[in-house]
Amino acid sequence: MAKNSITKRWIINNLGVVVLALIVISLAVVYAIQNYFYNSARQYLISKINAVTSVLSIHSQDSSANFSAEMRTMLETFNEKDKIELMAINSKGRVVLTSSGFSPDEEDIMPDYAEAMESGEGAYIGRLHGGEKILAVSVPISSLNNDYSSVRMVTSLTEIDNTIKMYCLAVFVVFITIVLIIVAIGLFFTDSIVKPIRQISGIARKFAIGDFSVRIENDSDDEIGELCTAINHMADELSTAETMKNEFISSVSHELRTPLTAIKGWAETIVIDGGKNPDTMNKGVKVIVSETERLQQMVEELLDFSRMQSGHFTLQSATMDILAELGDAVLIYSEKARRETKQIIYNEPEMLPFVFGDKNRIRQVFINVIDNAVKYTSAGDVITINASEKDGDIVVSVKDTGVGIKQSDLAKVKTKFYKANYTRRGSGIGLAMADEFVRLHGGSLSIDSEGEGLGTTVTIRIPSEKKN
């Protein structure tokens, strides 16, 4: 058993308290049983000795009777002498007559007699000089005859103690049975907790080294079952995130390699040409500048993403014309869409309310969304962009007739590193960043698609300045 295991703590704390409580209860029951039997025996002796004193009282009132003779006759004919010894004590406090005919040991004490002389009745439970445990009861009779001070009854408690022991044994058996039942139930209960926890601990260690293939067996519907379900779900998410991260690294590596290859290739071409061909020189410089800008954009995107993940990202907010930023984003991709024989239709409104926000980030949102629309459409497809005001919000929708998104992927497309289609270029963090930027402006970004090949609609809602 582990040093600080749950089972050990349960045994020490819970079971210890239960056992202590049972011991206290058992002792109380044993004490009650003993008192019951001893009190019953005492009451029985008192009733018997009162009967004797009643008879002696009758004899004392008879002037013709010899009280001493009557006392002797009563002791000799006492019908329970086999169980109870009846004694007569003289005025000097010495036992002068007994129903058994034997005088008691002079070393035996009689506290009950002393008590009877003081209070009118006395009882004593103790041991004789020989070791036998007895119950003695005394009552004074000096008022009946001056020669005698008291009568006393003594009975052995051996049989009563044996009966009490039998009851104590029964209580002990019940006590042990209860403890064993509690231990069995407790161990079963703690095992139902400890076993899954040990399983969780072992699997968590595998998670720590990057093995997300294992899952926890779960056949309970309690809190432990909920924990196992949550950890299995966490493993699914971690596995998915790990896969997406690896794919992201692969995708980014590819995205970086392409422009770097183009830059290196054209730089080598220009060096080899040595400026002899102006057309080659101009074309190469344009490609290098274009691919450098593309690299710069990717690096900025990665830096922004890193800042967002570390919590160091802040907005530079001011009153801005959101329509101007949308127009710039549309202008950036219009020529590209034309070259790829795709059509962008921009239904530009005359005026929209101003927005309090970071214009660079808002423009980046529009660029990311329009870039995705262009990226995931084919030649001949149409991208329709609308902007309007609704309930104090600026609503911008970008609808395309491109490849669309599977219903199973809709809930994941805004997740970082996730790409629904790995045949298209991109890092997989553009939509995640766009969604975060919009959220930081108090707005929302939603994505709808009826399915693959049916196009996608991205709707951006940002509160206007007058609404805030």
Side-chain angles (χ1 to χ4, degrees):
M1 189 182 297
K3 184 178 180 181
N4 293 313
S5 67
I6 293 175
T7 303
K8 183 177 180 180
R9 293 204 305 270
W10 177 82
I11 291 175
I12 294 174
N13 299 331
N14 299 62
L15 186 59
V17 172
V18 171
V19 170
L20 181 62
L22 286 173
I23 290 174
V24 172
I25 293 171
S26 300
L27 291 176
V29 170
V30 170
Y31 179 76
I33 291 172
Q34 186 183 56
N35 273 358
Y36 171 77
F37 279 99
Y38 282 3
N39 286 336
S40 296
R42 177 182 174 184
Q43 292 300 322
Y44 181 76
L45 290 186
I46 289 174
S47 65
K48 285 292 183 180
I49 204 167
N50 285 337
V52 169
T53 57
S54 297
V55 173
L56 291 176
S57 176
I58 294 172
H59 289 311
S60 68
Q61 294 174 5
D62 186 357
S63 57
S64 62
N66 186 327
F67 189 84
S68 295
E70 294 294 338
M71 175 71 78
R72 184 181 297 275
T73 301
M74 178 175 288
L75 265 64
E76 290 175 353
T77 59
F78 184 57
N79 60 359
E80 291 190 44
K81 63 173 63 179
D82 57 330
K83 295 180 180 180
I84 302 172
E85 185 169 20
L86 180 61
M87 302 178 180
I89 302 174
N90 63 14
S91 57
K92 296 181 180 179
R94 298 185 61 184
V95 177
V96 292
L97 295 173
T98 63
S99 58
S100 63
F102 298 100
S103 299
D105 194 324
E106 292 184 358
E107 295 184 6
D108 292 335
I109 59 174
M110 298 187 297
D112 53 300
Y113 169 72
E115 183 183 354
M117 292 298 98
E118 292 180 3
S119 59
E121 182 181 290
Y124 165 66
I125 295 176
R127 294 188 180 276
L128 299 176
H129 185 67
E132 184 180 9
K133 192 174 183 180
I134 61 162
L135 168 63
V137 174
S138 299
V139 293
I141 58 170
S142 55
S143 60
L144 303 181
N145 189 279
N146 293 330
D147 293 334
Y148 297 94
S149 60
S150 173
V151 287
R152 185 180 188 230
M153 282 188 176
V154 178
T155 185
S156 173
L157 290 178
T158 301
E159 289 187 10
I160 293 177
D161 283 346
N162 289 336
T163 303
I164 292 173
K165 288 177 182 178
M166 291 299 295
Y167 279 99
C168 290
L169 180 61
V171 170
F172 178 74
V173 170
V174 171
F175 170 83
I176 294 298
T177 302
I178 292 173
V179 170
L180 291 176
I181 292 173
I182 292 174
V183 169
I185 294 173
L187 290 177
F188 176 79
F189 175 72
T190 54
D191 185 65
S192 68
I193 296 176
V194 171
K195 186 177 179 181
I197 290 177
R198 286 174 179 165
Q199 188 182 9
I200 290 170
S201 178
I203 290 177
R205 283 191 285 270
K206 292 185 178 181
F207 290 169
I209 60 176
D211 181 6
F212 302 112
S213 61
V214 291
R215 295 294 181 270
I216 302 171
E217 296 179 4
N218 180 21
D219 55 0
S220 60
D221 56 356
D222 54 11
E223 290 82 355
I224 295 293
E226 291 178 1
L227 176 61
C228 293
T229 301
I231 291 177
N232 284 337
H233 177 68
M234 179 189 71
D236 293 337
E237 294 299 317
L238 288 173
S239 179
T240 302
E242 183 72 13
T243 301
M244 288 192 297
K245 184 190 73 173
N246 293 335
E247 290 169 347
F248 164 76
I249 293 172
S250 176
S251 177
V252 168
S253 299
H254 176 74
E255 292 290 325
L256 292 173
R257 186 187 300 116
T258 301
L260 286 173
T261 301
I263 292 170
K264 180 182 178 183
W266 277 103
E268 290 174 347
T269 300
I270 292 172
V271 170
I272 294 172
D273 183 72
K276 297 176 183 178
N277 190 334
D279 291 337
T280 302
M281 174 74 74
N282 291 335
K283 187 177 180 180
V285 170
K286 287 181 180 179
V287 170
I288 290 172
V289 170
S290 175
E291 294 301 321
T292 302
E293 288 177 351
R294 182 179 168 193
L295 278 175
Q296 184 180 11
Q297 183 181 354
M298 290 180 62
V299 171
E300 287 295 328
E301 191 177 66
L302 291 172
L303 287 174
D304 285 342
F305 178 74
S306 177
R307 294 189 194 102
M308 288 169 59
Q309 292 298 104
S310 63
H312 296 151
F313 184 82
T314 56
L315 296 175
Q316 305 296 323
S317 298
T319 300
M320 55 168 284
D321 182 1
I322 194 170
L323 205 55
E325 305 308 323
L326 178 59
D328 287 347
V330 173
L331 184 62
I332 291 171
Y333 284 92
S334 293
E335 178 61 25
K336 178 181 180 180
R338 188 188 62 79
R339 290 196 307 268
E340 297 178 1
T341 65
K342 302 172 185 178
Q343 183 180 6
I344 293 181
I345 299 175
Y346 176 33
N347 298 316
E348 183 177 7
E350 292 184 3
M351 181 61 70
L352 285 177
F354 289 149
V355 168
F356 185 77
D358 189 328
K359 66 178 184 179
N360 292 324
R361 301 310 173 191
I362 293 295
R363 185 195 302 129
Q364 189 173 349
V365 170
F366 294 146
I367 288 174
N368 285 349
V369 172
I370 297 173
D371 178 66
N372 273 346
V374 173
K375 185 192 309 176
Y376 289 100
T377 54
S378 302
D381 284 332
V382 178
I383 300 163
T384 304
I385 302 172
N386 293 295
S388 62
E389 178 190 3
K390 185 176 181 180
D391 300 328
D393 290 336
I394 307 302
V395 181
V396 176
S397 67
V398 179
K399 182 177 181 181
D400 64 64
T401 58
V403 297
I405 303 172
K406 292 190 295 185
Q407 294 297 314
S408 59
D409 291 332
L410 272 177
K412 305 175 184 177
V413 290
K414 293 190 290 184
T415 305
K416 59 182 181 292
F417 309 139
Y418 186 81
K419 292 175 68 176
N421 190 332
Y422 285 94
T423 63
R424 308 286 173 144
R425 63 178 177 80
S427 62
I429 62 174
L431 273 180
M433 291 180 58
D435 181 62
E436 182 66 15
F437 289 153
V438 173
R439 188 189 65 80
L440 290 173
H441 283 84
S444 64
L445 185 150
S446 60
I447 303 173
D448 297 300
S449 178
E450 295 182 6
E452 289 184 284
L454 300 176
T456 303
T457 300
V458 179
T459 304
I460 302 165
R461 299 180 70 100
I462 299 177
S464 63
E465 190 174 42
K466 68 179 183 179
K467 184 177 181 179
N468 294 328

